[in-house]
Amino acid sequence: MRVWRDNWLLFTIVALVLCVATILLPQLRLLSASVIGDGGSFSMVHRGSGLEPVPEMSDQFQTEAVDKGNALKVTRGGGFALDISRMDRQTLRLSAAERIGTTDDGNGHLSLQLGGSSLAVTQQAPRGLFNRTAPDPLSASQEPDGSVVLKHAANAYLTFNDPGTRLTISNYIDFVTGNETVKATLNSLFISLSATLIAALIGVSLAYVVARFDVMGTNGIVFFATMASVSPPFLGAYSWRLLLGRNGVITNGLGVDFSIVGIHGVIWVIAWLVFPVIFLLSYSAFRGLDASHVEAAESLGANPAKARFSVEIPLAMPGIITGLYLATMAALSDFGTPRIIGLDLNVLPVLIYTSFLSEAGRNPALAATGSVVLVAISSLFLMAQQIYLAKRGFSVVSSRAIDRRPLSTTGQICALGFAGLVLFFAFVPHMTVLVTSFMEWRVGLPRFAFTLSNYTNMLESGLTPAWVTLSLGIAGTAVAFALGLGIAFVLVRKRYAVLAPVLSVTVMMPYVIPGTVLGIGLIMMFNEAPLQLTGTWFILALAYVIRNLPFTVKASEAALRQVHPALDEAAISLGARPLRVFLTVTAPLMLAGAVTGATLTFLHIVTELSSTIVLYRPPWKPMTAVIFENTLVDADFGVSAAQTILLMMIIYVPLYLVVRYGQSRRIENA
Amino acid sequence: MSRYLALAAAAMGAAMLVPATASAADLVVYTSHGETTSSPILDAFKQAHPDINVTIVRGGTGEVVERLRAEAGNPTADVLWGGPTQTFEENAALFQAYESATDADMVTVDPNHIWHPYTVLLQPIIVSTKRVSADDMPKTQDDLVTAKWKELGSLIIPDPAKSGTGYTILSALSGDKGWEFVGNLAKDARIAPGSDDAFNAVRDGEAAVGWINEDLGAKWKAEGLPIEVIYPSDAVTGQVDAQAIVAGAPHLDEAKAFIDFLGSKASHEVVRDATIRRSARADVTPPTVLPELGSLNIVSPVDPRPVVVARFQEFLSK
Amino acid sequence: MPDILTNPGRPQGCEVAIESVSKAYGPLTVLRDVTMTIQPGEFFTLLGPSGCGKTTLLRAIAGFHPINSGKIAFDGKDVSRLAPWDRNIGFVFQNYALWPNKTIFDNVAYGLKLRKVPKADIAKRVRNALQQVQLKNVEDRYPSEMSGGMQQRIAMARALVIDPPLLLLDEPMSNLDARLRVSLRQELRDLQQRIGVTAIYVTHDQEEALELSDRIAVMHGGVVEQLSRPEDIYARPQTRFVAEFVGDANFLEGRVAEGRFHLEDGRSLQLAEPGEAGPATLFIRPERLRLVEAGQGQLDATVSDIRYVGRSWVHKLALGEALHVWAEAPVKLNIGETFGLGFEAATLLRAA
């Protein structure tokens, strides 16, 4: 068998099976949940004032009063008809053209059989606050004439539910006609596009200035932007609210009647959250320009301004567009910011989360439908980006790096001022948290009194979340990276027919799946034996690996393309088998270029919020979940601030090490 | 290759065992009580039972119940602590009965012994003094139905679909004043995704007026925050807060010990003194800063939750 | 092949038999029914322009590309289905393919470690191999610290240290500058002769091929145009492609009749070996064309252009309106002068 002889083919098949099971199937599961509806239900309330239908709680069935207050007729397409009339305050008679069957399993689960379908009957009865007796239970008895007599509690709501399932697009119809859902969708689109626009204005112009002019401290600016790009996602919202909320430190201090809470605040905070990615990609695009392209324009008489808009920006466009796309995606799928600073603002990720995880308004079908819509919007953005890149799919291979233009003193001051201002805004949240972590917190608000108690409390209450975060970060990075390396190798070097393209598409899918949606999909998929993973450390690790796989595969592919195939073949010709070639030659060579990628994966994992908040269960509760919850519940933020500082150390120390030492031993490749 | 696979499998297997062993000595409590409300009790419990290590998972009532539902059959939690009694009744299948000796000492009791009363929690009106002048203070629930609130920063209502407190308030008010009243309330109101969001919004002045759990309101008032807490003269909504043992709890003995402790007179004195809540024990007097129950018209939920959620949804989509 | 590993004496070069080998990438055929046998110890060159299939053939011998049909045998043993890592060959890459993250020692020792050679022996053999390619005390350095020529030698040492019976070289000198190339050529040839390894060398540089090889196969469009000793390739090309690709050439179209070669304009000239009658192309190298006084040769021609190429002058001689030949002379002639041409060294190429 070829499969057994070719280790890589075996790996490809195993990787494909794993990816399909953990990426594709949960999404299909979500999709199917969005097109499956239950068999419908109807409700009525039976009080002293009479028997009334409750149309808000009826679906598929029509209930109409025949004798107002005394009798109802229930119908549904397909010939179903049921008559219900009151006998006394707690008794109803149910009759139909045919005989009605009843079953009672003794545990209070009562059901009726009628017209080929089964109806589960439940009652909900009010109970006084200090009442010591329970409502009367529900019971049904068969009458000789085929009707059923139903006894229930006083003043009860009775719900008849058909547990059958059917294929339906009604969830989608509800989605596009519902006030809340349409608003949430429009809000999401508006926020993501306008935040990206603001971030693009800041990010692209700063990138241009820093890339093309000889600005002092360029490395520092780029490093700070990199730091900002891996900030914990909820940090900004909380800090800005603390400063500029109606009761914020600054608004109170200045006595102004202003609040950042609302859609404008969400846009503002998200713009600062996503600007670094636009800046970094635009910066490298501008740095990647070939000097001769610009010189050619200049030799033909273009002044710098003309060359900028006719040559430099168009040539850098693929990089800028990629940055814009990533920013839009981040903005679209951000859960933390709108949840914290939006107050009553509804956006898709929050809608999905709350309709999946809430006590009574729980609506998995709505969550699934919202998820599908969100993934569809993301996919449209991706398609737009791909179409743009395909049309203008050139890559500028820089043969001679462009020289930075010198700046006059005034120019230098302006450029530094601009960069300083941008970085100041980007780091306002970090500074806020640092300062407030040393402040005393009372009833959810900071007081101007220095204290270390937040840190001592953090140490006392245990560092378990830090360990959970670290273990997930390290294990997730290792697995995502090993898989990423292997898959990239298969995609770049092996290119198996059918398998490789399918693997490639599957592995890239999480690119368009927001964290909330991914989490819900995983719960739907892995909540039952034998694949019961919910509530374990593994499901978090799995989510993190999946979410980072597109990134690690792309990074490894890039690294692999730098490794000339002859380097592999040299080892093969000397007698090394494929796996050995990979382990002793290819992987070490890729690794050198890919450590940065691994670090970023680690940083993504330890700051991941949107899938964490859906998936975590104790005792596996990562720091992001702890901090986020504390910002919402009435807990004091002090300890959370201390934890955020710890999280930032977990993030920024490795980042600094990689930036400082990662590039020092550059390996020339063949 | 097979060697590597075997190694990987062994490593996976070893790692799988970790969660099971790590939780062996723990009692896992899901709670909707905040840090300030829960830690005095937890400290007292730790003193009484130093051998039991309590792990706390916090979330809104809706969130923690949903976790329980998702975990049904394979629960990690032992106790759900917090949430109105209705929540426990609606989700009775998620919990198991336990007849605690302390149940008899309470002002109310679950005849099925699923839930065990903890506190009586009223929801007076909270007003932001940043937004509302003394002349405009509401005195009754009826006063909340006027157009002026929209100009001042709106009334904020916790979504009953996502908040147990929101449900209690709306169900009780609809029972007392009818659904039309609730419809009028909802007309110009902002809807918060959780009760804490609603409370904090009024505290910070993001919204003008809302309701608050009385213990938190008393604490905030004592801290001098810019709020006013008002017990409306026509009706005050209230709920009984409870706890229950999760069905299939992995640490049943510890869970029973916790339930018994939460019902004890000692812990209810802590409840009264440290958290400013009305104990559900008949023999514990209410905190001095709170008004006597007898002086108030207490209304409690009437319509069940799905009805309230569905009806409220109807108002919102109008 | 344990004997190779343990045997302190060097193994003999192996015979490589290529039988009817074809290879296609989809619709594109790159090797068509190629057959050749390379003798043990031979220095054999595959010569041709890019795209002629020479590298594909070399890589097929190495096993990097599976072949569609045919057979490749080393010393009579069919290796067509053998994985490349089991073929025990030395391969030198165009870009050397030294692993940039490994020291020179680790690069060279790689094949020995795979063969589980004892540690002490590895050090000795690596040192020997580096000595063979004239390198000393470079073991601890990294490839990026070495010049192109040194990298090329290290690549050679890495391929040879495992004592392969067959050494495959894929344009190993194409990245070097002209002077270095010339000096390395001789070294390579000496080394190969000393070791006795069979070498198959791919190049598009005809000079290199002529100087190095025992035999050359000139390839074009996936087929072998001619397989001969270098002197035959140069002096007696069998096809116009070979004649054109190797060295400079004059071609005159015409036909053979009555023992003479008739140009298209009617003039004719006497040949030493006219052969059969029929259409033919007359071929002569510029340096073999004899220049005599006007009227003394077989045809007269007038100098119309002159190019200086260093060692001599090359003159364009017009035979008529659109007909000219190039002739090399040690002295510079004058434009406009007329000379007689002697075609004694010419040969005839006939369409296949």
Side-chain angles (χ1 to χ4, degrees):
Chain A
M1 281 274 289
R2 187 176 163 216
V3 175
W4 298 114
R5 277 197 297 129
D6 186 342
N7 292 332
W8 279 113
L9 188 58
L10 192 63
F11 170 84
T12 308
I13 292 168
V14 171
L16 190 57
V17 168
L18 285 177
C19 285
V20 165
T22 59
I23 300 173
L24 191 60
L25 291 186
Q27 293 303 306
L28 292 178
R29 190 76 212 276
L30 262 178
L31 189 64
S32 70
S34 75
V35 294
I36 288 175
D38 61 20
S41 62
F42 58 92
S43 299
M44 60 205 62
V45 57
H46 187 192
R47 293 189 271 235
S49 54
L51 177 66
E52 294 161 40
V54 185
E56 300 95 316
M57 293 174 66
S58 298
D59 177 32
Q60 307 293 312
F61 291 89
Q62 287 77 46
T63 41
E64 55 176 314
V66 181
D67 171 10
K68 194 165 163 48
N70 284 319
L72 298 173
K73 190 170 187 67
V74 183
T75 52
R76 180 171 69 170
F80 178 96
L82 177 67
D83 291 302
I84 302 173
S85 56
R86 71 187 293 209
M87 293 170 72
D88 63 43
R89 274 193 58 131
Q90 287 180 243
T91 318
L92 294 173
R93 176 189 294 277
L94 281 60
S95 56
E98 60 194 288
R99 187 187 159 80
I100 306 172
T102 61
T103 47
D104 189 344
D105 70 353
N107 283 332
H109 296 294
L110 189 68
S111 62
L112 304 176
Q113 285 81 40
L114 174 65
S117 52
S118 175
L119 293 171
V121 189
T122 50
Q123 69 164 353
Q124 279 161 323
R127 186 168 180 277
L129 195 54
F130 305 114
N131 202 339
R132 284 177 162 265
T133 52
D136 294 326
L138 198 61
S139 71
S141 61
Q142 187 85 52
E143 296 294 299
D145 64 352
S147 65
V148 166
V149 170
L150 195 64
K151 286 188 175 297
H152 61 81
N155 301 325
Y157 279 80
L158 293 163
T159 299
F160 298 73
N161 179 46
D162 180 353
T165 56
R166 73 209 149 81
L167 213 57
T168 175
I169 57 161
S170 65
N171 292 326
Y172 288 93
I173 293 171
D174 291 350
F175 196 92
V176 298
T177 55
N179 196 1
E180 233 191 327
T181 46
V182 170
K183 234 193 221 159
T185 311
L186 293 179
N187 281 340
S188 275
L189 283 173
F190 179 68
I191 289 169
S192 55
L193 292 176
S194 47
T196 305
L197 182 70
I198 295 171
L201 290 176
I202 303 163
V204 176
S205 47
L206 181 63
Y208 186 82
V209 170
V210 176
R212 293 289 285 112
F213 294 98
D214 201 3
V215 183
M216 273 163 54
T218 300
N219 289 342
I221 295 170
V222 175
F223 176 68
F224 277 114
T226 313
M227 271 178 75
S229 73
V230 293
S231 301
F234 44 82
L235 190 61
Y238 195 76
S239 300
W240 283 109
R241 197 179 86 181
L242 201 60
L243 295 174
L244 287 174
R246 183 87 44 189
N247 200 25
V249 176
I250 295 175
T251 31
N252 264 353
L254 298 178
V256 287
D257 186 26
F258 170 82
S259 172
I260 198 160
V261 172
I263 193 166
H264 54 287
V266 175
I267 293 171
W268 171 257
V269 171
I270 290 184
W272 288 108
L273 192 68
V274 299
F275 112 86
V277 67
I278 299 182
F279 169 80
L280 292 172
L281 281 160
S282 308
Y283 176 76
S284 70
F286 284 128
R287 288 306 299 156
L289 291 179
D290 186 5
S292 58
H293 286 141
V294 180
E295 285 161 5
E298 283 168 353
S299 74
L300 292 169
N303 61 30
K306 185 91 187 145
R308 182 175 312 146
F309 289 104
S310 62
V311 176
E312 296 176 33
I313 291 179
L315 280 176
M317 218 48 184
I320 296 173
I321 290 287
T322 305
L324 293 183
Y325 165 72
L326 290 175
T328 315
M329 288 299 296
L332 185 66
S333 56
D334 188 16
F335 166 79
T337 307
R339 180 67 185 81
I340 292 173
I341 209 171
L343 190 54
D344 53 343
L345 180 76
N346 219 345
V347 295
L348 278 180
V350 175
L351 177 88
I352 292 167
Y353 172 78
T354 51
S355 50
F356 187 74
L357 278 183
S358 71
E359 192 182 341
R362 184 172 182 271
N363 189 342
L366 175 61
T369 312
S371 298
V372 174
V373 170
L374 189 53
V375 171
I377 294 174
S378 312
S379 307
L380 285 179
F381 281 131
L382 178 68
M383 267 165 66
Q385 185 233 10
Q386 295 288 320
I387 289 170
Y388 177 88
L389 288 186
K391 267 191 180 160
R392 319 229 165 161
F394 50 81
S395 60
V396 178
V397 181
S398 174
S399 54
R400 188 158 53 87
I402 212 156
D403 283 335
R404 288 186 159 99
R405 286 193 213 117
L407 274 176
S408 64
T409 315
T410 326
Q412 190 71 255
I413 290 169
C414 288
L416 279 177
F418 178 42
L421 194 67
V422 168
L423 290 177
F424 171 77
F425 277 122
F427 281 92
V428 159
H430 305 68
M431 295 182 286
T432 308
V433 169
L434 185 64
V435 171
T436 54
S437 73
F438 292 106
M439 284 163 79
E440 207 180 295
W441 285 72
R442 304 281 303 270
V443 291
L445 292 171
R447 301 285 157 105
F448 287 97
F450 176 83
T451 177
L452 285 175
S453 64
N454 296 322
Y455 288 92
T456 51
N457 283 350
M458 173 177 75
L459 294 176
E460 271 167 25
S461 63
L463 292 172
T464 320
W467 292 120
V468 172
T469 290
L470 268 181
S471 66
L472 282 166
I474 290 167
T477 305
V479 173
F481 223 74
L483 268 178
L485 277 177
I487 291 174
F489 187 85
V490 169
L491 297 184
V492 173
R493 291 285 164 82
K494 290 292 169 182
R495 299 192 211 132
Y496 296 113
V498 187
L499 288 180
V502 173
L503 183 61
S504 165
V505 169
T506 316
V507 126
M508 285 300 145
M509 277 179 61
Y511 213 42
V512 295
I513 305 175
T516 327
V517 177
L518 185 91
I520 291 173
L522 287 178
I523 288 186
M524 286 187 167
M525 187 73 195
F526 295 109
N527 202 27
E528 281 147 36
L531 287 172
Q532 166 94 47
L533 289 180
T534 46
T536 65
W537 181 91
F538 285 95
I539 200 153
L540 286 169
L542 181 64
Y544 297 159
V545 167
I546 291 172
R547 243 163 105 60
N548 283 286
L549 209 50
F551 180 76
T552 58
V553 169
K554 280 279 169 228
S556 303
E557 273 187 25
L560 188 57
R561 285 185 209 283
Q562 304 286 309
V563 180
H564 198 282
L567 293 170
D568 292 0
E569 289 168 356
I572 293 175
S573 74
L574 291 168
R577 285 162 179 282
L579 189 65
R580 190 177 202 113
V581 174
F582 183 73
L583 293 177
T584 61
V585 174
T586 328
L589 282 170
M590 287 162 77
L591 222 57
V595 165
T596 316
T599 312
L600 287 177
T601 302
F602 175 79
L603 302 183
H604 290 162
I605 291 179
V606 300
T607 57
E608 168 78 30
L609 175 69
S610 53
S611 61
T612 308
I613 207 74
V614 178
L615 288 170
Y616 89 85
R617 302 277 163 72
W620 311 111
K621 188 173 184 180
M623 293 181 83
T624 48
V626 175
I627 299 169
F628 179 73
E629 274 183 4
N630 283 348
T631 63
L632 289 183
V633 185
D634 72 319
D636 292 342
F637 189 67
V639 178
S640 295
Q643 277 167 324
T644 308
I645 296 297
L646 180 63
L647 180 62
M648 283 202 270
M649 278 161 64
I650 293 176
I651 298 165
Y652 292 136
V653 169
L655 182 71
Y656 176 76
L657 293 179
V658 163
V659 171
R660 176 76 180 72
Y661 300 103
Q663 318 287 336
S664 64
R665 208 187 115 208
R666 283 199 59 169
I667 287 181
E668 307 288 322
N669 48 58
Chain B
M1 186 74 176
S2 56
R3 199 157 41 101
Y4 296 106
L5 283 176
L7 264 177
M12 293 273 284
M16 288 271 196
L17 296 173
V18 176
T21 50
S23 58
D26 289 349
L27 173 70
V28 178
V29 176
Y30 284 13
T31 182
S32 54
H33 292 304
E35 184 102 36
T36 42
T37 314
S38 57
S39 42
I41 303 293
L42 290 172
D43 290 344
F45 180 72
K46 204 178 177 88
Q47 278 184 350
H49 296 272
D51 51 321
I52 302 178
N53 181 22
V54 183
T55 303
I56 292 288
V57 178
R58 267 179 241 287
T61 313
E63 287 168 13
V64 287
V65 169
E66 176 52 34
R67 285 190 193 286
L68 288 178
R69 201 178 281 139
E71 289 169 7
N74 178 34
T76 43
D78 301 300
V79 172
L80 175 64
W81 178 27
T85 51
Q86 290 84 3
T87 298
F88 294 91
E89 285 177 0
E90 286 156 16
N91 298 288
L94 295 175
F95 305 101
Q96 54 180 296
Y98 166 58
E99 197 167 345
S100 171
T102 64
D103 285 356
D105 305 331
M106 302 294 164
V107 294
T108 183
V109 73
D110 178 9
N112 300 321
H113 296 285
I114 294 283
W115 51 262
H116 314 278
Y118 184 55
T119 57
V120 176
L121 196 53
L122 305 186
Q123 290 88 31
I125 291 173
I126 178 175
V127 186
S128 166
T129 53
K130 295 178 90 146
R131 308 294 289 260
V132 181
S133 68
D135 301 338
D136 285 334
M137 289 294 161
K139 301 195 173 47
T140 60
Q141 303 280 6
D142 290 329
D143 288 349
L144 297 179
V145 192
T146 58
K148 75 177 176 198
W149 298 117
K150 190 166 171 76
E151 296 156 34
L152 296 173
S154 294
L155 166 71
I156 189 156
I157 303 176
D159 188 343
K162 293 151 196 166
S163 152
T165 310
Y167 158 68
T168 300
I169 294 166
L170 293 179
S171 182
L173 286 180
S174 72
D176 189 53
K177 295 175 181 293
W179 272 103
E180 202 182 330
F181 175 79
V182 174
N184 290 333
L185 275 182
K187 213 178 287 166
D188 287 326
R190 300 169 74 174
I191 310 303
S195 51
D196 286 301
D197 297 88
F199 302 162
N200 293 347
V202 182
R203 176 195 70 191
D204 295 345
E206 303 291 353
V209 63
W211 297 273
I212 188 155
N213 283 336
E214 59 180 344
D215 57 327
L216 195 58
K219 263 181 260 174
W220 284 356
K221 193 86 185 68
E223 288 287 337
L225 295 184
I227 55 154
E228 198 58 64
V229 177
I230 297 162
Y231 286 79
S233 57
D234 50 350
V236 182
T237 63
Q239 67 190 44
V240 171
D241 221 38
Q243 55 268 355
I245 299 179
V246 175
H251 314 102
L252 188 56
D253 292 340
E254 288 86 351
K256 286 177 175 171
F258 190 65
I259 295 289
D260 290 343
F261 178 81
L262 289 180
S264 67
K265 185 161 186 185
S267 82
H268 276 259
E269 276 160 358
V270 176
V271 169
R272 177 192 59 198
D273 299 339
T275 69
I276 325 183
R277 285 202 174 199
R278 295 173 203 272
S279 164
R281 277 184 77 96
D283 56 356
V284 176
T285 54
T288 48
V289 296
L290 299 183
E292 285 289 331
L293 277 185
S295 66
L296 305 167
N297 175 28
I298 309 294
V299 292
S300 61
V302 177
D303 280 353
R305 185 116 179 212
V307 181
V308 173
V309 170
R311 288 221 151 124
F312 193 67
Q313 207 64 43
E314 283 284 307
F315 290 131
L316 291 187
S317 54
K318 266 179 200 160
Chain C
M1 285 140 266
D3 54 327
I4 291 165
L5 308 181
T6 50
N7 184 3
R10 291 198 183 280
Q12 287 300 302
C14 73
E15 180 201 76
V16 179
I18 295 157
E19 282 172 39
S20 307
V21 166
S22 292
K23 165 84 189 164
Y25 295 108
L28 182 73
T29 305
V30 285
L31 292 177
R32 273 174 227 272
D33 202 18
V34 173
T35 298
M36 59 179 73
T37 303
I38 297 139
Q39 300 303 323
E42 188 174 21
F43 198 112
F44 190 90
T45 297
L46 299 170
L47 175 67
S50 55
C52 71
K54 58 187 191 297
T55 297
T56 307
L57 180 58
L58 189 80
R59 294 171 62 83
I61 295 169
F64 294 140
H65 295 327
I67 53 176
N68 298 120
S69 63
K71 191 177 127 178
I72 297 171
F74 295 170
D75 280 337
K77 184 180 164 247
D78 186 356
V79 298
S80 311
R81 298 281 166 268
L82 208 57
W85 51 87
D86 288 330
R87 294 196 185 191
N88 199 35
I89 40 158
F91 200 110
V92 180
F93 293 84
Q94 183 170 10
N95 57 16
Y96 323 129
L98 296 178
W99 300 303
N101 55 334
K102 295 189 201 289
T103 60
I104 305 303
F105 179 88
D106 287 335
N107 263 281
V108 178
Y110 187 87
L112 296 176
K113 284 180 187 159
L114 282 175
R115 285 163 177 72
K116 304 209 163 46
V117 174
K119 245 190 162 151
D121 290 0
I122 290 183
K124 213 170 76 192
R125 285 174 70 173
V126 168
R127 201 166 49 243
N128 276 342
L130 288 171
Q131 260 167 22
Q132 291 279 4
V133 296
Q134 327 285 333
L135 287 174
K136 252 191 211 167
N137 301 329
V138 295
E139 281 96 330
D140 295 333
R141 297 167 70 180
Y142 282 90
S144 56
E145 301 167 42
M146 318 295 280
S147 71
M150 285 161 106
Q151 292 190 30
Q152 204 270 350
R153 289 161 196 253
I154 294 159
M156 197 81 76
R158 182 177 67 182
L160 288 175
V161 75
I162 58 169
D163 286 338
L166 176 60
L167 179 65
L168 305 178
L169 303 105
D170 184 9
E171 308 208 25
M173 312 238 192
S174 62
N175 288 352
L176 300 175
D177 64 60
R179 289 189 71 82
L180 191 58
R181 230 183 304 186
V182 173
S183 69
L184 272 176
R185 260 183 230 161
Q186 201 49 52
E187 243 178 69
L188 172 60
R189 173 76 186 169
D190 289 349
L191 183 63
Q192 184 263 343
Q193 292 291 306
R194 204 161 60 234
I195 300 173
V197 65
T198 306
I200 303 179
Y201 188 94
V202 160
T203 183
H204 61 264
D205 182 333
Q206 37 118 351
E207 240 180 85
E208 220 167 79
L210 295 174
E211 183 178 339
L212 281 168
S213 318
D214 292 317
R215 283 193 303 158
I216 297 172
V218 181
M219 295 187 64
H220 177 50
V223 298
V224 176
E225 290 262 338
Q226 185 170 353
L227 198 169
S228 318
R229 294 183 299 132
E231 46 270 46
D232 292 336
I233 294 278
Y234 189 81
R236 272 178 289 282
Q238 280 156 18
T239 66
R240 176 156 178 168
F241 174 81
V242 175
E244 229 166 6
F245 189 75
V246 182
D248 301 321
N250 291 307
F251 299 104
L252 292 172
E253 302 296 333
R255 54 187 299 113
V256 177
E258 297 144 15
R260 286 179 74 85
F261 182 79
H262 297 269
L263 292 176
E264 276 155 357
D265 59 8
R267 285 179 285 180
S268 68
L269 45 96
Q270 186 72 47
L271 290 181
E273 298 165 30
E276 281 174 45
T281 303
L282 179 139
F283 154 77
I284 188 163
R285 301 261 177 222
E287 71 274 16
R288 305 295 297 275
L289 193 63
R290 203 159 54 81
L291 290 180
V292 294
E293 277 182 31
Q296 303 276 310
Q298 288 165 298
L299 290 173
D300 276 356
T302 309
V303 177
S304 65
D305 200 358
I306 303 173
R307 297 198 183 153
Y308 180 57
V309 295
R311 60 173 185 246
S312 63
W313 280 266
V314 177
H315 302 87
K316 187 176 181 181
L317 293 151
L319 286 167
E321 279 291 296
L323 204 57
H324 62 263
V325 290
W326 294 92
E328 208 178 316
V331 292
K332 187 180 180 184
L333 309 177
N334 295 319
I335 289 189
E337 267 184 290
T338 302
F339 291 93
L341 301 178
F343 284 91
E344 291 80 1
T347 55
L348 286 179
L349 304 171
R350 289 170 197 269

